[in-house]
Amino acid sequence: MSIAEGLASKWISVSEPTPHVLHVELCRKPVNAFSAEFWREYSALFDRITREGRDVRAVVLSSTLPKLFTAGIDMGDLSAVQNPEAPDAARASLSNFHFITEFQSAIGAVERCRFPVIAAIHGTVIGLGLDIVAACDIRYGADNAQFTIKEVDAGLAADIGILGYLPKITGNHSLARELAYTSRIFTAQEALHLGFLSKVVPGGQSEVIKAALDLACVIAQKSPLAVSGTKRIMTHARDHSVQENLEYTALWNSSALQTNASCFSPAPVIILIFPSSKDV
Amino acid sequence: MSIAEGLASKWISVSEPTPHVLHVELCRKPVNAFSAEFWREYSALFDRITREGRDVRAVVLSSTLPKLFTAGIDMGDLSAVQNPEAPDAARASLSNFHFITEFQSAIGAVERCRFPVIAAIHGTVIGLGLDIVAACDIRYGADNAQFTIKEVDAGLAADIGILGYLPKITGNHSLARELAYTSRIFTAQEALHLGFLSKVVPGGQSEVIKAALDLACVIAQKSPLAVSGTKRIMTHARDHSVQENLEYTALWNSSALQTNASCFSPAPVIILIFPSSKDV
Amino acid sequence: MSIAEGLASKWISVSEPTPHVLHVELCRKPVNAFSAEFWREYSALFDRITREGRDVRAVVLSSTLPKLFTAGIDMGDLSAVQNPEAPDAARASLSNFHFITEFQSAIGAVERCRFPVIAAIHGTVIGLGLDIVAACDIRYGADNAQFTIKEVDAGLAADIGILGYLPKITGNHSLARELAYTSRIFTAQEALHLGFLSKVVPGGQSEVIKAALDLACVIAQKSPLAVSGTKRIMTHARDHSVQENLEYTALWNSSALQTNASCFSPAPVIILIFPSSKDV
Amino acid sequence: MSIAEGLASKWISVSEPTPHVLHVELCRKPVNAFSAEFWREYSALFDRITREGRDVRAVVLSSTLPKLFTAGIDMGDLSAVQNPEAPDAARASLSNFHFITEFQSAIGAVERCRFPVIAAIHGTVIGLGLDIVAACDIRYGADNAQFTIKEVDAGLAADIGILGYLPKITGNHSLARELAYTSRIFTAQEALHLGFLSKVVPGGQSEVIKAALDLACVIAQKSPLAVSGTKRIMTHARDHSVQENLEYTALWNSSALQTNASCFSPAPVIILIFPSSKDV
Amino acid sequence: MSIAEGLASKWISVSEPTPHVLHVELCRKPVNAFSAEFWREYSALFDRITREGRDVRAVVLSSTLPKLFTAGIDMGDLSAVQNPEAPDAARASLSNFHFITEFQSAIGAVERCRFPVIAAIHGTVIGLGLDIVAACDIRYGADNAQFTIKEVDAGLAADIGILGYLPKITGNHSLARELAYTSRIFTAQEALHLGFLSKVVPGGQSEVIKAALDLACVIAQKSPLAVSGTKRIMTHARDHSVQENLEYTALWNSSALQTNASCFSPAPVIILIFPSSKDV
Amino acid sequence: MSIAEGLASKWISVSEPTPHVLHVELCRKPVNAFSAEFWREYSALFDRITREGRDVRAVVLSSTLPKLFTAGIDMGDLSAVQNPEAPDAARASLSNFHFITEFQSAIGAVERCRFPVIAAIHGTVIGLGLDIVAACDIRYGADNAQFTIKEVDAGLAADIGILGYLPKITGNHSLARELAYTSRIFTAQEALHLGFLSKVVPGGQSEVIKAALDLACVIAQKSPLAVSGTKRIMTHARDHSVQENLEYTALWNSSALQTNASCFSPAPVIILIFPSSKDV
C-alpha cells in the first residue's frame, strides 16, 4: 500500500512519486484561495500523517495551477470572521483571537511534522501563500516565482506568521520590512538574495517540482531518525539561545546514539572520514 | 497646517515633501558630530511626533552635509562624561551607566515610533552613525556610502546599539564581527551583500534621498493601522520565539480586524486576489 | 618569552608569527580525526591561555594537512561511547549525555576566550569540523574549501553545535536546513553567499592563512579591552533581545569608559572624526 | 439543555449543579488508575467544551472514590510503553518521547480552557494525581487530603508536569525538592503552608466539594470575559517577565475594554469605588 | 534645603521626616480615586526625583485618608478612554493600547527608582491600589488593611500589573488566582501568609506608617550605592534565569567594588565578620 | 573503599556516615571565613566527585564550629581583589568581573552535582554563607540558626548569588528585599515562614545534622537515576517556562524510562498504587 493511500481530499491531491516521498498538491481552482475548509483540510493532512506514523521521509508541496501557487485567503469566506452578531467589540475580538490562533496552528502543521517539507514554488504567491511556504523547511522557486506580502493593502498586518518567520529565517530586517510595509512584488532572484529561497530553478512549474522531488529523494535515503532529529533541533535553535540548544541537542542525542541506523549508509561515511592517506 | 510645523530645531530640519511623509535632515556643520544636546533634540523630535499623534506615516532620515552622514559622537562633548569629580570609580561607573542608558534610549526613539523610518545614507557613516541607522526600519545607501564601526579605535566597544543590532538585522555574525573588531571601512555594496542596506542607489545624496522618499510615499498610501501593526510585530519577532510572536500577532489582529481600513486601497486587492480565471 | 611558549601539544602546534597573535595548527595525520584525547587537548589549550592571562589578542586556527581541515570525529574512538557495559539503555543515555555535554563544552572553548579566533579554512571540512569553525568568531575560506554536514550519513543529528550555530550565524534557515538534511557538499562560494564565510581567498592553504593572519594583525593593534568587550557583547546579542543587550552593553561600558586605552591609536580617530571643514 | 449534556464518558461523570458550573468526577474503580484510555477521555472532555464553546464558567474536579483522589498511572497499562518491539534504544526513546508529550498535553488540557478549574481534593493523591491537580487553577483540600510524588519509588523522575509546576506555583524550592526526592507523604496542612492548596476544608469528600462548588458559583457570577482574560494573563505571567506580561495585558485589554459587560454587576462596583464621603 | 522641596502637587504631599527619607502621601478626597491627572502626577514625582539626582535613599508611600489607601481608578475619568469618536473598533483598540501602556508605565515609576519604596498600607485597597503597592519593593500592612482585586466586578481583567506581579512576588498561584477570579476581600493576615505583605503592624494608619518609616530609616543609613545595586539586581532576578542574573550581578559589581563606601559602616562589619575567637 | 576516600582537604572534612551519603564539614577556625583558597577547595571537592563518577547519592553540608555556619568572605583576602596595580578603573573592573564570575561558579558547584546537597545549618550565617546554602537543594535549620545578608553593610550588593536565589527559591519578594536592603538578622522561624528553610529542627548543631543525615539516607535509598533526573528537571524549571520544562522532561524521560531501576523499591510502589479494593 502506498503511504499516500487515502490522504487526498477535496482540494489537495497526494501521491508518492518515490518511496517514502509524498507530493502534496494544492488544487483549488481558480486561484487556490484558502477558505477555512481548505486550511482545515491542509492541517488535517499533515497532522494525520504524523499521528498515524506513516513512514514519510520528505514532502514536496506545490500547486497544480499553471500560473500561481496561491492567491491567499478566500476573502469571501473571511467575511464570516467579522462576527456581525458579536454583542460588542470585546467579544468580537475574543472570537477573532481564537479564530486566528486556530488558523496559525493549522498553517504551522508542517513545522510539527517529523519530516522535512519542501515548498516548490512557481508563479505568484500572495498573502497567506507566504505564511504557508515560510513554515516549510526549505523553499525552491522557479524562475517565474514572485511574491507579495499583500496584507497591508487590505488594511491589515499579516497575521498567520510571515512577519515573524521572514526576518527569522532570512536574518535580513531591512529588506523584510521594506517588503512587508509596501506589499511590492519581489522576484525569485531577490528572494534568493534575501535567503527566502535556497535555490532558483531555471524553468517553471515542472522544473521546480522536479528539483524539489530530487532533493526529497536524497533526504528520503537518509536515516529518518537522523533527519527528524535534525529538523527538531534546528527549529529549537531558531527560538532559543546557543547554550539552551546545545543542552537540547545533547539530550536528544543521548538516546539517538543508541541506534543501529548508522548501518544506513555506511560506505560513504567510511570513505569520507578515513580517506587513505595517499588520497590526502 | 503641515505635520512638520514647529518640529525643526537647531541642528535638525524637518519638512513634509509629500503628505504624511516627513523628511528629517541632520545639519550640524561641519560633520554632524553628536553632542548630548544634539541627540536629546533628536530623541525629542521623534518622541514628540508620537506623543502628539501627528498623522505621520513614514519618515526619511538623511544628512544635509555633502560628504557624510555623520562622524559620530562629538568627542569634545563626551569628555564631560568622564566624571572627574566622581568620588570613586564605582560612582563614576554608575553615573556612566545612567548616561549610556539615556543615550541608548534617545537613539532608539525611532524604534518606538508607530511609523517606519527610512535612513537615506550617502557619504561616510562613522561610529554613532551606525547605531542611528541600525535602529531605523529600512536603510538605503548611495553608491558612495561607506561605513566604519569606529569605536575600537577609541579603545571602546561600541555602546549605543550597533553591536546588538548588526548581527540581529543581518543574520551574519562572521562579517559583522570582522567589521566590529577591525573598524575597517565597508562600502555600500558590501553593506548590501551583508543585508545592512536593502538597496544601493546609483548616484549620491540627492539620488538616495529621492529613492527613499519614493519608498516613503508608497508606504504613506497604505493604511497606517496596517503599517504600524506590521512594524510592531516585526520588532517583536526579532526578540521573541515564533510561538510567542504568533500569539502576539493574534492578539494584535483580533481587534485590528475590526477596521474599516480595508476600503483603503480596495482595487488592487481585488484584482490580485481574485484574478479572473482566464488570466490564471 | 613568546606567548606561544609551552602551548603546543601532541597534535596541535602553536606559534606567534606576529606579536600577540597566535597561530594554532591542527596536525594529526592523516585527516585530523578528532579522538577524545584530541579535543580535550584542543579545549585545554584555549582555556589555559585565558586562565594564565597571556596577552593574546587574536588567534588564527588552521590545519597543517595539505588537503583538508579535518575529517571530523575519529569514529574508531567514538565507539568507546557506545557503553556496551551500561546495565540498561537509560544509564547508557545518561552516560552519553554527560559525554556529549563535555564534548560540546570543549569545542565551545574558543567562544569563552577574551580574544577573537579566526578560522582559516582550506580543503574539505567534514562533520565535527563544521562545529569547530562555527564556534569561531570569523571564518575565511580558500577557493578550494568545501564543507559537508556529514552526520546524517552516520544516522545521527549533528550534536556538537553546528545545527544551532549555522542558522544563528547566517540567518538563512532554508539553505542551512537543506545542507543539514542532505549532507551535500557546499563550496566556499556558496558558504560566502550563505554568510558562513566572510571572505573567500583566491588560492589555497597558504593564501587563506596569510589573509587570516593579516586580519589578526589588524585586530592585535586595537585595544584588547575594546576587542574583548566587543566580542562578549556580540555573543550576548546572539542569545538575547535588543533591550537586554543594550542594558548589558551599558553595564559593560560603564566601567570600560574609564580607560586610558583611547591613547591607543589616537591619530586616526582625530582625523576621521574631526576632518577639517574644507575636506568635507 | 444542560451544558453538561453528553459530556460524561466511561470513567468520568459530568453534571451541572449550578448554572454554568460543571462538576467533573473521576470514577474508575477501585483507585482511579489512569490508563491511556482514561487520560485521553479526560483531555477530550476539556478540549471538547472549549471547541464547542459551551458557556461553562467554572469547573470543579473531584473523585467519586471514598478514600482517594487517584492512585496515579495504571502501571499495567504503562507497560505497553516499553516498546519491546522497538528495533533499538534510540527508536524506543523517540517513541517514548512522543508518548510522554501526548500524555503531558492531555493533562494540560485544563490549562488551555477559557474558564477556571478548581480541584477539590480528598484522600490520597499519588503520582500522576499531583500532575493533574497542579495544572488546575485553584486547589482546595479536605482535612484528610495527603499527597506523595511517588515517581522516584518507581525509579523515575515524574514526567507529566509536577516537577515544573510545583516550584513555579508555590515558589518554595527547598520543600518542593525535599518532597520530590523522597516521595514522603505530605498532609493538607503542609500543602497549605507550601501554597499548593489555597484552603484546607474541615471535613472530607463532601465538605471539600461543597466549598469548591461555592467558589465556582462566585466565579460563575462574574463576567466570563473578565475571568477568562484574567486566567490567560496569569498563566502568561508565570512564564514571562513583568515587562512582557504588561504588554500582553495591554494588548488583551485594548479590545476587552470595549465590552458591555461592565453592566454585569454594576452595583457593588459603584458602592465600593465611590463610597459616600461620610462612610469613609 | 530639604530633598522634598517643591515635590508636592495637588493630590500628593511630600515631606522628609528623616534625612534622605521621603514620605509620599496620597491625599485626594474622598477616596484617592485615580484620574489620569492623578497618576500622571504620581509618575512625574518619582521620575523627577531620579532625573534630578536628589539624594533620596528610601521612600514610604501611604494615604492620608483615615479609612482607605485608595479606591482605585476614578471611573468617571476612565469613561474618557472609551473613545466614542474612534471611527472603528480597531482604532479604538489601538488608542486603548497606548493609553494602557502609558498608565502601566506611570504606575511602574517606583520600580525605575534607584531607591526602595515601602508601601505603608491601612484600610481598604481596591483595584488599582493593588497595582500601585505591588510595584513597590516592600509592603507593610496595618491590622485593618484589606484588599480586593476588584476588576472582574467591572467586567475586566485587571490591567495595570497586579495579575503579573501577584504570583511573581508571592510565588503562590492557587491563592492569587482565587483572589483575582473572585474579587473577594482578603485581610492583612491572609496577605502576610500569601507573602504579599512582609509585616502586619498592630494598630492602624499611624502605626504602620511609623513602622515603615523606621524601616526606611535603617535603609537610609546604608550605602545608597549598595542598596540601589541590590534593588536593581533583585528586580532583574525576577525576570531572568539564575545564570543570567549571576552574570548581571558580576558586571554590576565589577565596578561597584571600586568604591570607598565600605567605610560607610565599617565597625559592624568587622565585628560580625571577625568575632574574636573566644566569642565563637 | 569509602566513597569519601581522599576527598578531605585543609579546611573541609569529608566522611561517609551511611553508604552513598557524604557528610561535608567546613572547619576553618575561627569563623569559616572564605578565602579564595577555601572556596577553590570547596568547588574542587564537588566537581571532583562528579568527574570521578563516585556513587554519591546525597550530601549533607554543615559546619564544625560550635557557634556558626560561616562568617562569610575573608575580608583580608578579598583586599587582593582591589587590584591596586591595575592601570585604570576599566581594567580593574575587567579583572573584578573575571574574579567574581569564577567565585560564583565555585559556589554554584553544588548545583552542577548529580545528587542533592542538603545544608544543615546551625548558628549564624553571614554574607557568603547565604549564597552557599541558597545554592543547595534543601535547607534544614537548627532552632538557633540565624541569617544576615550582610553585604550592604560593606557598601556592596551581594554578588555570589543570594539576591537572585532568594526570591527565586522562596517566591517572596517583599520579605526578601526587606532582608537584603537592611541586613537585619532573621531567625530560623522567619526563614521557615519565608520558605528558605524547609524544616526547623529543635536543638542545635548535632540535632540538625542528624535530621539532615536522616533525610539524606532516605534519598540514598532511591534510584540515583530518578533522583538526579528530578534534580536536573527542577533546576531547569526554575529558569524556563512550563512548556519548555515539559519538553525537557519528556526528552529526559524518553530514555530514562528504559531502565531496570524500577526493581529498585518495588514493594511500596505496588502497595500504594494498587491497594486492594477493600482498603479503599
Side-chain angles (χ1 to χ4, degrees), chain B residues 232 236 239-240 244 247-248 251-252 254-255 258, chain D residues 232 236 239-240 244 247-248 251-252 254-255 258:
Chain B
R232 191 149 198 135
H236 183 275
D239 295 333
H240 291 83
E244 290 176 305
E247 186 172 1
Y248 187 91
L251 266 182
W252 191 273
S254 67
S255 55
Q258 302 178 55
Chain D
R232 193 151 196 133
H236 183 274
D239 294 333
H240 292 83
E244 290 176 305
E247 187 171 0
Y248 187 91
L251 268 181
W252 191 273
S254 67
S255 54
Q258 303 178 54

Side-chain angles (χ1 to χ4, degrees), chain F residues 123-160:
Chain F
T124 306
V125 187
I126 301 172
L128 179 66
L130 283 113
D131 303 290
I132 290 173
V133 300
C136 294
D137 292 81
I138 296 168
R139 282 158 297 284
Y140 274 17
D143 266 343
N144 71 350
Q146 57 178 6
F147 306 84
T148 165
I149 305 174
K150 198 64 194 168
E151 283 82 350
V152 288
D153 284 334
L156 290 172
D159 54 1
I160 310 301

Side-chain angles (χ1 to χ4, degrees), chain D residues 44-66:
Chain D
L45 166 64
F46 288 101
D47 285 339
R48 179 178 167 196
I49 296 170
T50 302
R51 195 180 57 249
E52 294 181 355
R54 297 191 181 210
D55 191 3
V56 173
R57 302 191 183 171
V59 165
V60 170
L61 175 70
S62 68
S63 156
T64 59
L65 305 180

Side-chain angles (χ1 to χ4, degrees), chain B residues 9-10 68 80 91 97 101 116 127 135 145 180 220 225 258 263 267:
Chain B
S9 57
K10 189 154 56 162
L68 92 183
R91 286 180 178 81
F97 176 70
T101 299
L225 213 68
Q258 302 178 55
C263 54

Side-chain angles (χ1 to χ4, degrees), chain B residues 27 35 38 95 131 150-151 168 196 239:
Chain B
C27 52
S35 59
F38 194 0
S95 164
D131 303 289
K150 198 64 194 169
E151 283 82 349
K168 278 184 180 297
F196 188 59
D239 295 333

Side-chain angles (χ1 to χ4, degrees), chain A residues 232 236 239-240 244 247-248 251-252 254-255 258, chain F residues 232 236 239-240 244 247-248 251-252 254-255 258:
Chain A
R232 193 152 196 131
H236 183 274
D239 295 334
H240 292 82
E244 290 177 305
E247 187 171 0
Y248 187 90
L251 267 182
W252 190 273
S254 68
S255 56
Q258 303 178 53
Chain F
R232 193 152 197 130
H236 183 274
D239 295 333
H240 292 81
E244 289 177 306
E247 186 171 1
Y248 187 91
L251 267 181
W252 190 272
S254 68
S255 56
Q258 302 177 56

